[in-house]
């Protein structure tokens, strides 16, 4: 199994180094892993003059899974847009056809105070948002700004989903639910938008293929409300690109600790790009204080979704739970009564717990 590691920029190299330690332990314990590294984003621009150079592209296409730190930094903000680090990220997602974005929002009981919501509402929260990433109103044609027949300027976009696009994200979501609590909530606005009425019809039809998963439907406005009112009612949520964009950010903030949240973007064969939900945090880069746990938990997602190795995924997640239970905290999740550690010490603690 080939894993390509893309450290990226800012805190990327520091946090990815900790995740790499975890991969090395799994390898030493018999997991058949081949690890390679390549630059992406600003680091790739510095070395090759492009944020997604051919060197990286070739290795990314050959890899079974990719682990990314994060890209971006203020020194690159004045570059022409096509050369900016974030373009490298968009380019690799498009190049590899990564249409399914999986973002878990998990609140470990030890971190319940980090949330802005009452501990009893969020403690033990464990939900997964599955967002379609390459369709919907973000990509639908026609789009633009024009002058209408009355001579007034207007902006317009097209919300559009083909049946095949709905089915392929549906399969990812139903199968993710099978690996978890077997509950899937499909979020739509079927009372107003035909595109999502169609979405609902296809999801309902697909449920026949997954009799072990309990499918429900919810309107997006209600879903936004329920996520803050009673988020623990959800197991897996599946939705389109625009609703998923908003709901996944809302869900991640329920936990209050951005340094803890992994994510996955998958293609049709479950090849995946795994990365923390946060950015490159240039403000704390190079200080050995970043939280590496989101990146380490991204490794667990890789084991679960690309390598189908649930036991190894849980081994990594249990190691993270163990260090939290031991009271170890990086600065971003530190509170009185716990022990503050740096980025590499946190990585070492996870390795010890493994
Ligand atoms: P950010 O997520 O990098 O940082 C937001 C805040 O959270 C900062 O105060 C930062 O110090 C803190 N933070 C983030 N990750 C942390 C961690 N692991 N441990 C401790 N604290 C952490 O978002 P931003 O400041 O808006 O963006 C910074 C750069 O990252 C920009 O160049 C942006 O374009 C880029 N970015 C990249 C990605 C990605 O690579 N997927 C995603 C978002 C932003």
């Amino acid at each position: 199994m080939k894993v390509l590691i893309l450290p990226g920029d800012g805190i990327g190299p520091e946090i990815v180094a900790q995740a790499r330690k975890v991969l090395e332990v799994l390898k030493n314990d018999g997991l058949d892993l081949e690890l390679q590294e390549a630059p992406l984003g600003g680091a790739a621009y510095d070395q090759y003059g492009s944020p997604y150079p051919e060197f990286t592209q070739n290795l990314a296409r050959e890899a079974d899974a990719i682990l990314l730190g994060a890209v971006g930094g203020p020194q690159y903000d004045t570059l022409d847009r096509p050369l900016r680090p974030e373009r490298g990220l968009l380019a690799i997602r498009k190049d590899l056809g990564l249409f399914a974005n999986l973002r878990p929002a998990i609140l470990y009981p030890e971190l319940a105070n980090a949330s802005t919501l009452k501990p009893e509402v969020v403690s033990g929260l464990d939900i997964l948002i599955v967002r379609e990433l390459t369709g919907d109103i973000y990509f639908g044609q026609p789009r633009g700004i024009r002058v209408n027949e009355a001579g007034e300027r207007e902006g317009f976009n097209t919300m559009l989903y083909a049946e095949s696009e709905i089915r392929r994200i549906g399969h990812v979501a139903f199968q993710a639910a099978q690996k978890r609590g077997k509950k899937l909530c499909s979020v739509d606005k079927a009372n107003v938008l035909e595109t999502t009425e169609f979405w609902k019809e296809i999801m309902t039809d697909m449920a026949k293929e997954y009799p072990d998963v309990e499918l429900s439907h919810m309107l997006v406005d209600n879903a936004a409300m329920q996520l803050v009112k009673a988020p623990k009612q959800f197991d897996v949520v599946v939705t389109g690109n625009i609703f998923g964009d908003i709901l996944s950010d809302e869900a991640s903030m329920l936990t209050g600790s951005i340094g803890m949240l992994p994510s996955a973007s998958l293609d049709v064969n479950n090849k995946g790009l795994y990365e923390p939900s946060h950015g490159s945090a240039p403000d704390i880069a190079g200080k050995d204080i970043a939280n590496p746990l989101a990146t380490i938990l991204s490794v667990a997602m890789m084991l679960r979704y690309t390598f189908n190795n649930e036991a190894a995924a849980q081994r990594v997640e249990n190691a993270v739970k163990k260090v939290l239970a031991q009271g170890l905290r990086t600065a971003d999740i530190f509170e009185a009564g716990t022990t503050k550690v740096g980025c590499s010490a946190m990585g070492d603690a996870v390795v010890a717990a493994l």
Side-chain angles (χ1 to χ4, degrees):
M1 300 183 298
K2 285 188 184 166
V3 177
L4 177 64
I5 300 178
L6 307 171
D9 310 317
I11 58 170
E14 301 163 54
I15 52 178
V16 155
Q18 310 317 312
R20 187 177 180 126
K21 289 180 191 166
V22 169
L23 284 166
E24 300 279 4
V25 171
L26 298 171
K27 191 176 167 183
N28 286 339
D29 287 353
L31 209 63
D32 181 17
L33 290 176
E34 188 187 316
L35 306 180
Q36 287 177 307
E37 272 197 31
L40 184 80
Y45 172 78
D46 290 341
Q47 204 176 335
Y48 292 98
S50 157
Y52 184 44
E54 218 176 297
F55 174 78
T56 303
Q57 187 178 45
N58 289 337
L59 289 175
R61 287 179 179 177
E62 277 169 24
D64 297 302
I66 298 163
L67 180 70
L68 168 66
V71 298
Q75 68 272 45
Y76 305 111
D77 286 350
T78 49
L79 290 175
D80 285 347
R81 282 195 181 276
L83 298 176
R84 291 199 194 156
E86 293 75 10
R87 284 298 173 98
L89 193 53
L90 294 180
I92 193 172
R93 283 179 181 154
K94 185 156 188 266
D95 185 36
L96 302 181
L98 306 171
F99 69 93
N101 187 227
L102 276 59
R103 274 177 56 176
I106 296 172
L107 186 58
Y108 298 94
E110 293 87 355
L111 303 180
N113 288 330
S115 177
T116 52
L117 272 72
K118 291 187 190 121
E120 63 268 27
V121 175
V122 287
S123 180
L125 180 78
D126 182 356
I127 64 182
L128 176 69
I129 308 264
V130 178
R131 167 190 173 194
E132 202 289 329
L133 207 54
T134 54
D136 205 351
I137 195 164
Y138 289 178
F139 293 90
Q141 296 286 349
R143 60 193 295 161
I145 299 169
R146 65 189 170 196
V147 178
N148 67 18
E149 283 173 7
E152 189 183 3
R153 291 180 76 217
E154 63 185 14
F156 62 102
N157 291 86
T158 303
M159 182 177 251
L160 191 143
Y161 265 122
E163 182 170 343
S164 56
E165 289 178 301
I166 302 173
R167 285 192 184 272
R168 67 179 187 175
I169 192 73
H171 284 303
V172 171
F174 275 105
Q175 285 164 23
Q178 281 180 322
K179 289 181 182 172
R180 294 173 40 104
K182 300 189 168 46
K183 273 169 56 183
L184 177 63
C185 179
S186 170
V187 171
D188 60 59
K189 189 71 182 171
N191 54 343
V192 181
L193 298 169
E194 285 78 0
T195 313
T196 75
E197 186 184 337
F198 182 55
W199 171 286
K200 184 176 178 181
E201 177 195 319
I202 301 300
M203 287 292 167
T204 304
D205 183 55
M206 290 186 74
K208 293 178 206 147
E209 293 173 56
Y210 297 95
D212 53 332
V213 176
E214 182 195 321
L215 175 70
S216 62
H217 304 274
M218 193 178 283
L219 294 171
V220 64
D221 41 353
N222 187 24
M225 189 176 80
Q226 294 298 330
L227 270 175
V228 284
K229 189 176 170 210
K232 283 191 264 184
Q233 70 185 281
F234 296 107
D235 176 21
V236 180
V237 173
V238 63
T239 191
N241 204 346
I242 186 166
F243 298 160
D245 191 357
I246 300 162
L247 293 181
S248 63
D249 265 25
E250 185 189 0
S252 67
M253 277 303 104
L254 296 174
T255 71
S257 48
I258 197 167
M260 295 295 302
L261 298 172
S263 79
S265 304
L266 305 178
D267 79 354
V268 273
N269 301 313
N270 285 337
K271 171 172 176 164
L273 174 78
Y274 297 85
E275 58 179 323
S277 295
H278 58 74
S280 58
D283 52 332
I284 58 167
K287 297 182 179 163
D288 193 35
I289 58 172
N291 186 345
L293 294 180
T295 317
I296 290 172
L297 290 167
S298 298
V299 169
M301 287 191 86
M302 178 190 292
L303 295 164
R304 175 170 295 123
Y305 292 107
T306 293
F307 298 141
N308 228 347
N309 190 337
E310 181 62 27
Q314 285 189 15
R315 186 176 167 209
V316 173
E317 288 167 351
N318 286 337
V320 169
K321 284 182 195 156
K322 195 168 171 188
V323 297
L324 292 174
Q326 287 165 351
L328 302 183
R329 303 282 188 274
T330 42
D332 56 310
I333 51 173
F334 176 76
E335 60 180 312
T338 61
T339 309
K340 198 187 280 185
V341 294
C343 181
S344 56
M346 185 58 108
D348 291 341
V350 173
V351 165
L354 273 175

